[in-house]
Amino acid sequence: MIFKLITMMLVSGFDGFLLKQDTTTIELSEVDAFVHSIPSEFREGYIAKASQFEKDIYTVLNVNLVFDYLEKSDLLTQVAADQSIVENDFKDKIDQNFIDKLGYTVDEFNQILKAFDRKKQYVVGFQHYIYNQIDDAAADELAEEYYKVNRVKYIKPKSMDLSQISFSKEKFSKEKVTEILNYIGTDSKERFTEMAVAHSSDPSVKSNKGELGTYKENLYKGHVGKEIFMIDELGMHSHILQDKENYYLVYINGINPQDTIPFDDVKVELRDSIKQNMADKKFNNIMSSISNKEIEVNIEQLATITERYLDNTINDTQ
């Protein structure tokens, strides 16, 4: 047998369908449509991958379950009005070798592809429909509650626009770095840049001339970073910083203090996330309710699957 189903009842004597769950069926032609959608270069050996084929069969079944649910619930018209359900044509994309082996004409298989594509559009459309039915005001209230409980997530750390010169301890003594610091003076950015280009051991100095750009406090690691972010004045820092390998001179171009992101700045993003979570939960609950019946497998149809696709591997799309 090609695949195993956890809750499965084998039946024979049923024509047309491959699987049946309650009143929802999978026609063999729909499996043909799904396999045809796999790029031709990936069809080789596809049918031998039992676990993948089983997942794909369930995918087809779920598409049909949702479409039948919409039909029974009179929701097809509402979903179509809420979303753009279109009729696609596949004649120019049909793999002629594929349909020749299965015995379809181009027109026949085009209709099969169009019908299955329409069902898939309704599944996606239904998910968007559920999302659009969720009240924005209710989601806004939940978003604000989430923001208040998780306020720490919306704190912007202190950041600084930095320029820095690194002096390798192998080449520079602290006395020499002190001379350079005195040469730069208290607020001479021009001299700072001159010394950075002339002496910095940081290879990036060739392109950035010592300009590091803006760093957030939580991204500048090590004790040197901690010392830098204790500075609260703009301009040339009057002290030499150091670690095991280097001495550092630092010029502070700008300081952005720690701040809290206002709720209004994240309201839309939070609302959309909450609505999506609510929509996903509702969709999953519907799927659970409509897919909990025993599955019937048509063993006569199932027996033809391997032979049906085994030789239908790599073919050029016409």
Side-chain angles (χ1 to χ4, degrees):
M1 185 174 294
I2 296 168
F3 57 89
K4 297 179 181 179
L5 295 167
I6 297 173
T7 56
M8 177 179 73
M9 180 172 65
L10 299 179
V11 296
S12 60
F14 289 83
D15 294 327
F17 75 82
L18 177 63
L19 294 183
K20 183 176 181 182
Q21 188 170 42
D22 197 14
T23 59
T24 296
T25 61
I26 296 179
E27 304 297 323
L28 193 55
S29 60
E30 293 175 312
V31 181
D32 292 339
F34 186 92
V35 175
H36 181 271
S37 71
I38 299 170
S40 59
E41 63 269 24
F42 296 118
R43 289 193 209 127
E44 183 176 13
Y46 166 73
I47 194 61
K49 300 173 184 176
S51 60
Q52 184 60 53
F53 186 70
E54 180 180 340
K55 290 178 183 177
D56 293 341
I57 289 292
Y58 274 120
T59 296
V60 177
L61 178 61
N62 286 336
V63 168
N64 286 359
L65 284 167
V66 172
F67 185 82
D68 288 354
Y69 170 82
L70 295 177
E71 197 168 40
K72 293 173 185 175
S73 305
D74 293 326
L75 287 171
L76 287 178
T77 301
Q78 294 181 46
V79 172
D82 187 70
Q83 300 296 313
S84 298
I85 306 297
V86 298
E87 182 175 87
N88 293 310
D89 191 278
F90 297 90
K91 280 187 177 180
D92 294 336
K93 299 179 181 179
I94 290 175
D95 187 326
Q96 188 66 49
N97 291 329
F98 185 94
I99 65 171
D100 284 348
K101 182 176 185 295
L102 300 184
Y104 293 110
T105 67
V106 170
D107 286 339
E108 287 171 341
F109 201 61
N110 188 43
Q111 291 304 314
I112 291 169
L113 293 175
K114 287 167 70 173
F116 188 59
D117 178 69
R118 179 170 174 265
K119 288 184 178 182
K120 290 191 295 181
Q121 287 187 62
Y122 269 105
V123 174
V124 175
F126 182 44
Q127 291 171 309
H128 288 299
Y129 172 79
I130 293 173
Y131 177 91
N132 291 337
Q133 295 303 301
I134 298 171
D135 182 58
D136 280 352
D140 283 343
E141 289 183 12
L142 292 174
E144 189 165 11
E145 287 180 20
Y146 179 88
Y147 174 84
K148 290 177 180 177
V149 171
N150 298 277
R151 189 180 294 271
V152 67
K153 293 183 178 181
Y154 301 100
I155 294 176
K156 292 190 293 186
K158 180 180 180 180
S159 64
M160 285 185 169
D161 183 353
L162 305 173
S163 298
Q164 179 179 284
I165 308 175
S166 303
F167 299 91
S168 169
K169 287 185 175 180
E170 292 182 357
K171 296 180 179 180
F172 289 86
S173 65
K174 190 169 185 180
E175 289 73 21
K176 181 61 177 177
V177 176
T178 301
E179 289 179 16
I180 294 173
L181 174 60
N182 292 333
Y183 169 75
I184 294 172
T186 58
D187 200 23
S188 176
K189 185 61 181 293
E190 184 178 346
R191 287 186 176 184
F192 184 95
T193 302
E194 174 193 340
M195 291 296 97
V197 173
H199 300 299
S200 183
S201 61
D202 185 346
S204 68
V205 73
K206 293 180 181 180
S207 59
N208 64 21
K209 297 182 179 180
E211 303 290 330
L212 298 185
T214 300
Y215 267 82
K216 292 181 180 179
E217 185 172 7
N218 57 344
L219 296 181
Y220 201 118
K221 305 298 183 182
H223 74 270
V224 170
K226 290 181 180 178
E227 290 185 65
I228 289 174
F229 277 89
M230 290 176 66
I231 301 170
D232 56 9
E233 293 182 358
L234 297 177
M236 186 70 199
H237 184 50
S238 59
H239 294 88
I240 298 171
L241 307 179
Q242 64 177 303
D243 56 22
K244 290 182 179 180
E245 298 178 352
N246 298 292
Y247 296 110
Y248 301 94
L249 296 181
V250 177
Y251 195 103
I252 309 299
N253 303 302
I255 299 175
N256 299 307
Q258 177 178 293
D259 195 10
T260 300
I261 302 172
F263 172 66
D264 285 344
D265 288 3
V266 295
K267 177 180 176 180
V268 173
E269 179 184 349
L270 281 177
R271 177 213 299 155
D272 291 347
S273 177
I274 286 170
K275 286 181 66 175
Q276 190 60 61
N277 289 336
M278 293 171 70
D280 290 344
K281 184 176 181 180
K282 183 171 182 178
F283 181 79
N284 290 334
N285 287 340
I286 291 172
M287 287 303 304
S288 295
S289 70
I290 63 178
S291 61
N292 59 2
K293 300 292 195 309
E294 194 171 48
I295 295 176
E296 301 174 19
V297 180
N298 187 334
I299 55 175
E300 293 177 0
Q301 293 278 21
L302 184 62
T304 69
I305 290 291
T306 299
E307 181 181 355
R308 191 171 186 82
Y309 305 126
L310 189 60
D311 297 327
N312 223 327
T313 55
I314 301 178
N315 299 305
D316 294 329
T317 301
Q318 302 298 310

